[in-house]
Amino acid sequence: MTWKLAKNELDQDQLLVNESLLALGNGYIGVRGNFEEGYGDDLKSIRGTYINAFHDETKIKYGEKLYAFPDQQQKLANVIDAQGIDIFLDDEHFNLFEGKVVNFNRTLHIDEGYTSREVHWVSPNGREVKVNFNRLVSFSRKELFAIQVTVEPIRNVQKVKMVSTVNGNVTNYVEKGDPRVNSEHAKLVALGDARVVGDYRIVQVSTMNTNLSAACVTSYTAKASESIVDSGVIRDTFQFEAGSGPIVLTKKNVYTDTLRHGDDVVSRGVELQRELASFDHLLVEQKYYLDEFWKIADIEVQGDQRLQQGIRFNLFHLLQSVGKDSVSNIAAKGLSGEGYEGHYFWDTEIYIFPFFLMTNPEMAKSLLMHRYSTLDHARNRAKEMGHEKGALFPWRTITGPESSAFFPAGTAQYHISADIAYSFIQYYLVTKDVSFMQDYLAEVLFETARLWVDTGHMKDGHFRIDNVTGPDEYTCIVNNNFYTNSMAKYNLDWAYKIYQELDDKAKTDIQDRIGLEVGEVLAWKEAADYMYLPYSEKLGINEQDDTFLSKKVWDFDNTSEEDYPLLLNYHPLTLYRHQVCKQADTVLAHFLVEDHQDEETIRRSYDYYEKVTTHDSSLSYCVFSIMAAKLGYKEKAYRYFNETARLDLDNLHKNTKDGLHMANMGGTWLALVYGFAGLRLKEDGLHFSPVVVEEFGQLSFHIKFQGRTLKVELSDKFVHYTVMEGESLNIHHIGKGVQLEPGQRKSFTY
Amino acid sequence: MTWKLAKNELDQDQLLVNESLLALGNGYIGVRGNFEEGYGDDLKSIRGTYINAFHDETKIKYGEKLYAFPDQQQKLANVIDAQGIDIFLDDEHFNLFEGKVVNFNRTLHIDEGYTSREVHWVSPNGREVKVNFNRLVSFSRKELFAIQVTVEPIRNVQKVKMVSTVNGNVTNYVEKGDPRVNSEHAKLVALGDARVVGDYRIVQVSTMNTNLSAACVTSYTAKASESIVDSGVIRDTFQFEAGSGPIVLTKKNVYTDTLRHGDDVVSRGVELQRELASFDHLLVEQKYYLDEFWKIADIEVQGDQRLQQGIRFNLFHLLQSVGKDSVSNIAAKGLSGEGYEGHYFWDTEIYIFPFFLMTNPEMAKSLLMHRYSTLDHARNRAKEMGHEKGALFPWRTITGPESSAFFPAGTAQYHISADIAYSFIQYYLVTKDVSFMQDYLAEVLFETARLWVDTGHMKDGHFRIDNVTGPDEYTCIVNNNFYTNSMAKYNLDWAYKIYQELDDKAKTDIQDRIGLEVGEVLAWKEAADYMYLPYSEKLGINEQDDTFLSKKVWDFDNTSEEDYPLLLNYHPLTLYRHQVCKQADTVLAHFLVEDHQDEETIRRSYDYYEKVTTHDSSLSYCVFSIMAAKLGYKEKAYRYFNETARLDLDNLHKNTKDGLHMANMGGTWLALVYGFAGLRLKEDGLHFSPVVVEEFGQLSFHIKFQGRTLKVELSDKFVHYTVMEGESLNIHHIGKGVQLEPGQRKSFTY
């Protein structure tokens, strides 16, 4: 069962959660796991279909609006709903919340890429039927969302009627009282068109302000007895006689939008409809695509089926969510819900990117290219924020403009610029792609390095960066956040280094392109060399910022379970005033740039910060797992990993209904590969410092690195490395250089 | 001319400014100095009539709303407009923006309490006329706003028609792009009633959400030829034949509201109408009231008529603006405009209160009683903000709830609780009123002391207060703001002291009332004794907060004139990141609690902070003037005082159109009495350390203290003290004790 997720709940809370868990997507479109026929009026559903990056802009209201607060916020739009299919047995409405459910199973087929919903049901008047819904969002045909319904009458059924809808009258979900969810502007798209043309049902919508259009062109494998267009909804009725075996209807919906398909989204949708295959063929295609994916991406563990399921579930959803074209990225909730408005955060670079980088470098590059496409926005934002030069990437955005409405935990998180620079560097370390370095990496590094020099300043022999917010959002607007300064130092060091690596032509080229002066490059070096990294002599740890350790420690003993997450129960000032962390901050810096500090400082820091961290952010467990593994705290590493692997499956953060926690899903991969296998990417290649974890029994995975495919296996006594594809490779195993020959399995003890 | 303000501008900018400068009020109602007939369609006017504390509540919108952010904001409502009077000369409309203005003078009569507008005008068709508008808002009859129009036809005029309106269809002023002004919710009141009943025109409005009503009942001294009620406007037409001398019409408007007059505001308005006197009589009453006021409140300076005018203008507007009943206070803009939404800030306690305290203690007490009435709100707010006990007063409010929508420069300014405690202590020092001490002072001190103990904590031998904002809003959310900690220490010290002074009965009483435990009192003492007051050994100054001096100094040389005020041109983070102050912060603390530091620290601090202060806040100049005087920087003291005295008259902050700067007006008095005369209130009485300022020639004023009236005169060589009323008094002159006998003028050198 580790390739499946099976669900059969019918209660309100879990129905909403399952809508996220059973969401299907392919990085372009995403469809929540709603019931085709809905739940009826008594139960709430967050019914949603999304196109990655397809967004409207709404005005941000402020009680008090200050200079350079963003005016507009981008929001991912819920688009045309093609999920609707109602079934009638002699006019009795098929509905799981009436009659008798003899059997009910929903399954996400992680290896095959589709969901099934199997129901054996007896109606209130005794009509018995088996119904099966198979759903698929195709990886090979990105515009396609297909549903196949099979109805098998068992008893007392004469006629079966299906009423299928395509609905252009959709709104976004709105919820008050949770700052992580949209609280107004439900209506983001207006109906443009809804009509039947030959075999095609065509619905088109347009955003209210951004002038984007999306279309859904739908076809059926049966002939409708009636097609009605009413108020933006196309309703097709299909009539069947019972008695001659199962009744099957397939509904294929093609989604197109302005961002990918140009202005005539409808024509393009019709064209794509003409090329579609049968549902069975789609399943085969899907399996083929996923076989290729899992060949590299899968991570096998032994001993704990629940963990194995969590790992695969999480990696599968990453694949389903990641944008694979130049206009999209991966949203905090992927395409599985509306939480965080479909925005892209640093989650991409720090938590999710490494998985793609080392299993599918093309997808990783696409993520970088999307960021690169927003560089002009980042340059403008830096100017708005009072900087003479440089690029300040937005804390949250879709196409590039800052969409954060609360700057202390938004724009103030300057570290995102270093995080993005970091991911560009990681890509270069893995690919050694020199033209990428010259064309993109240099520019991103130089513009972000400029930001740091303009933001900070030399004082008493230190380069200080004042008034920023680090990853920990329970401590905002501080001086010399250790994480930020560490990442900025890395950014500046690499900017200097890459400048030296450029050949003369490339140097001239970039100097012309961004007006770079040599004096600037020296300033980067100086800032990096003198970067202030707070350290407490007394405790022997890195201080999270200039004054974190002077604050009162949060009274954890007198904080009850219901008070978590603290952000929903305490004013930010109360949080800021205490030593209490929402998530890994200094500990994360120690993971990402471990060479800045000695291991004992890292250990003492871990011990200290672990005590004051609530993990109210889903970005926390995985980092603590990784660092616990590094420090030999195996039991902790395993425990934190469990939280990571099962966070959405077990709804540990209680908000999975709003969408899946993508960063944590990426963190699952990180915890295995960077945590237990102890991988680090350094200039001299791959370093492994694996730790044995008894609970796993065994752990094996593949990574791609500089043209090779490397298989890594951890068992209870040995670690095995095998170059599966490509040339020989030098790696480091626990600090020692090792040469791996192709095809040869080399084994080491821990 | 030092008792008058004369204006005759007709350009757009100055018209708006003059609406504020020539506003009339009495602490209950305020009427902006609009033209009765308006300016015509091409010119903007902020037409306004306000009732102190009469407010609606509107929803605060946040892009991202976090825990305990206020939901609602109170807003002073623009109420019924009774200013309207149009004049027609044979149907030619009297309008200063057409025809020829032969002569035009507007005058604010500071000593008599009314304004006049005298116009000699020739119409486009050659009709010549003199028109005079006298306006008065009565101090003796707080509900009354009266206008007397006199029309004197000179040439070619046959008939004079006046059309007078009372308009219930009013909206508030809205302006985008300035966070200091309302940017939405123009409509705060709805029309309730508009009708003519006998001689009375009655218009009544109600707020949209707060369920408050206001009425205006209007009467005329002439009989209308026509009275029309249309869409909430009552329009009366008066016809006169020219030829028999001046034509006079008096319009008397009585304003009532729910907060003062109960539910039946209309009946109460009609009753009050029945008691009114003639306009001439009103003028006499007004003069009498003002004579009494000026007898104590006036400050005479010599040598500079413009300064003398500024001083009187400012003191007069304080009197016009201060609420004199238990439901009102004094708004940041008084009743002269809509800036800052009619909210009460710390401006009251720190800048304005001392003037009333020492010239009119009853009015001062009324301000304290209003604050006291909001204590329960402050207790609730403390709880919302995560405190177990204590009272946190709102940064901005009308009736008590926090109305600040941007907490870093709002709620985070915890110092307001210490500021309020400070004013209660000052009142006690001046009156030695023991029953006040037992009934009010103790409770306010104890509840605010509790707040400090709960907010701060002991660490390494210091009591620290983290994550608050001091007065300087260009540096928000800091640790150990020197001002806050100094004021908290004073608050805690006095809480402890007053507890000791209470007799047993009073002790028991308050212990019961607020559940006080003796251990708490000891904790106040400990917090006060160990209060951390940041000090830089290197510079020998008090540091504004833990890290202020580590920041980059603002690049003042490369900041152009148009970039000020910085808040309108830079993101808050840019400001926070630099050593740049909007206003006096540490310097203000050194003024209010000077005994915490030695004079050389105070001097070095002044020298340091002066260089990095922009005075973008109008609360800054006066403090720098006071402290410059103390430190012997006479030229500076005089220069800053000039800015203070003339700030609104010369529109130095460019936003006088939105209302007058009340705190600065109070600062005018402070700069004279606390600055040049060097007054300080201490436990052992009044201390004077006067400085001679050549530019003044002479300075004289009165203050009330413990039942006496003391006259103080500064001339070029001598300082004279005279007890004008009451018993003998011991004061300190430049550190030496002096006994003053009643009626005896004692003279000293500087």
Side-chain angles (χ1 to χ4, degrees), chain A residues 61 63 67 385 414 454 456-457 459 464 466-467 479 547 549-552 568 570-571 574 576-577, chain B residues 61 63 67 385 414 454 456-457 459 464 466-467 479 547 549-552 568 570 574 576-577:
Chain A
K61 295 271 180 74
Y67 185 82
M385 291 296 295
Y414 269 46
D454 197 79
H457 69 123
K459 176 94 182 176
R464 299 172 49 85
D466 293 327
N467 287 85
N479 300 333
T547 59
L549 296 174
S550 313
K551 296 182 183 171
K552 201 176 342 187
L568 297 185
Y570 295 92
H571 189 277
T574 313
Y576 299 173
R577 197 168 282 142
Chain B
K61 295 269 180 78
Y67 186 82
M385 292 296 295
Y414 269 46
D454 197 79
H457 70 123
K459 176 94 184 173
R464 300 171 50 85
D466 293 327
N467 287 85
N479 300 333
T547 60
L549 296 174
S550 312
K551 295 183 184 171
K552 203 176 341 189
L568 297 186
Y570 294 91
T574 314
Y576 300 173
R577 197 168 282 143

Side-chain angles (χ1 to χ4, degrees), chain A residues 299 301 591 625-630 637 641 668-681 686-693 696 698-703 710-715 718-721 731-735 750:
Chain A
I299 299 188
V301 298
F591 164 46
S625 177
I626 293 165
M627 294 306 282
K630 173 190 171 76
F641 176 69
T668 303
W669 188 87
L670 289 174
L672 290 165
V673 176
Y674 282 72
F676 299 116
L679 170 65
R680 296 293 185 276
L681 266 179
L686 299 171
H687 288 238
F688 290 92
S689 297
V691 293
V692 61
V693 177
F696 282 156
Q698 206 162 345
L699 167 67
S700 72
F701 60 90
H702 295 80
I703 57 174
L710 178 68
K711 181 173 187 181
V712 181
E713 299 161 273
L714 276 64
S715 66
F718 301 100
V719 184
H720 314 282
Y721 303 95
I731 64 162
H732 288 78
H733 172 75
I734 315 183
Y750 285 91

Side-chain angles (χ1 to χ4, degrees), chain A residues 279-292:
Chain A
F279 196 85
D280 285 348
H281 186 88
L282 293 173
L283 284 172
V284 171
E285 273 182 4
Q286 191 83 336
K287 180 77 168 67
Y288 178 82
Y289 183 97
L290 285 169
D291 283 347
E292 289 298 305

Side-chain angles (χ1 to χ4, degrees), chain A residues 47 66 79 240 276 279 318 371 581 594 606 717 734 740:
Chain A
R47 200 167 177 97
L66 302 186
V79 296
F240 305 91
L276 297 183
F279 196 85
L318 288 172
R371 281 291 189 198
C581 300
E594 65 179 13
Y606 178 97
K717 296 216 172 59
I734 315 183
L740 303 176

